[in-house]
Amino acid sequence: PPSTPPPPSTPPPPSTPPPPRTSSALTTSKLPAAVAAQLEELDLYDPTTLARDDRQEVLGTAAVGALGLFLLPLFEVGLLGDVALSVLLGGGAASYVALRKDEVGDGARRLVGKTAVTAADKAREYEREQQLTAKSAAKAKEVASQAWAELKKSLE
């Protein structure tokens, strides 16, 4: 008898990212019910129920989105207007992506958000080691004192 061909293999199910960790201290939303319902309808995570690390990653993603849009010369509305529009549009769009419950959201949180959080941590560590803020403040005070002394001397 002729051999029967093997049955066609079925493709593996699409992989779904693991959900972000939820805070053990907070399992119910702190948002107004209407906002929480809208997030659920849009299939977005509620940021108030995420664990601290996941919230930081969402915030990091939002910051990168805002900064990225700010650096592009798109708005001709002055510095404050540019900052406001960049935060609203760039940060808002990046936050939306980071709160998505799919691979795109997981990738945004893990790649962009985690990188931003790591960069901020490294910057804080560098500041603690080098004391740049204290050194800059001391130098600014010294320059201001010298300028004041020269101004007083020129007025005498």
Side-chain angles (χ1 to χ4, degrees), residues 3-147:
S3 66
T4 59
S9 64
T10 58
S15 66
T16 56
R21 301 167 298 274
T22 56
S23 172
S24 59
L26 181 62
T27 55
T28 59
S29 177
K30 292 176 82 174
L31 297 174
V35 175
Q38 188 64 42
L39 287 172
E40 188 61 36
E41 184 179 319
L42 293 171
D43 202 27
L44 300 175
Y45 287 114
D46 179 340
T48 65
T49 62
L50 297 177
R52 181 185 181 280
D53 289 347
D54 291 312
R55 279 194 314 269
Q56 293 297 320
E57 290 171 5
V58 170
L59 289 171
T61 304
V64 169
L67 180 62
L69 194 58
F70 178 74
L71 294 176
L72 297 173
L74 298 177
F75 310 114
E76 298 293 331
V77 292
L79 178 65
L80 292 178
D82 193 11
V83 169
L85 289 172
S86 296
V87 168
L88 288 172
L89 300 176
S95 295
Y96 168 79
V97 172
L99 291 173
R100 288 176 51 165
K101 294 180 180 179
D102 59 9
E103 294 85 10
V104 174
D106 186 58
R109 285 187 304 278
R110 301 294 174 246
L111 296 175
V112 178
K114 189 170 251 173
T115 301
V117 170
T118 301
D121 289 343
K122 296 277 185 193
R124 277 191 291 273
E125 180 181 325
Y126 187 75
E127 162 58 27
R128 274 194 301 270
E129 291 172 2
Q130 301 298 320
Q131 298 292 314
L132 297 177
T133 304
K135 290 176 183 176
S136 297
K139 188 64 174 177
K141 193 174 189 178
E142 177 186 331
V143 168
S145 294
Q146 288 174 352

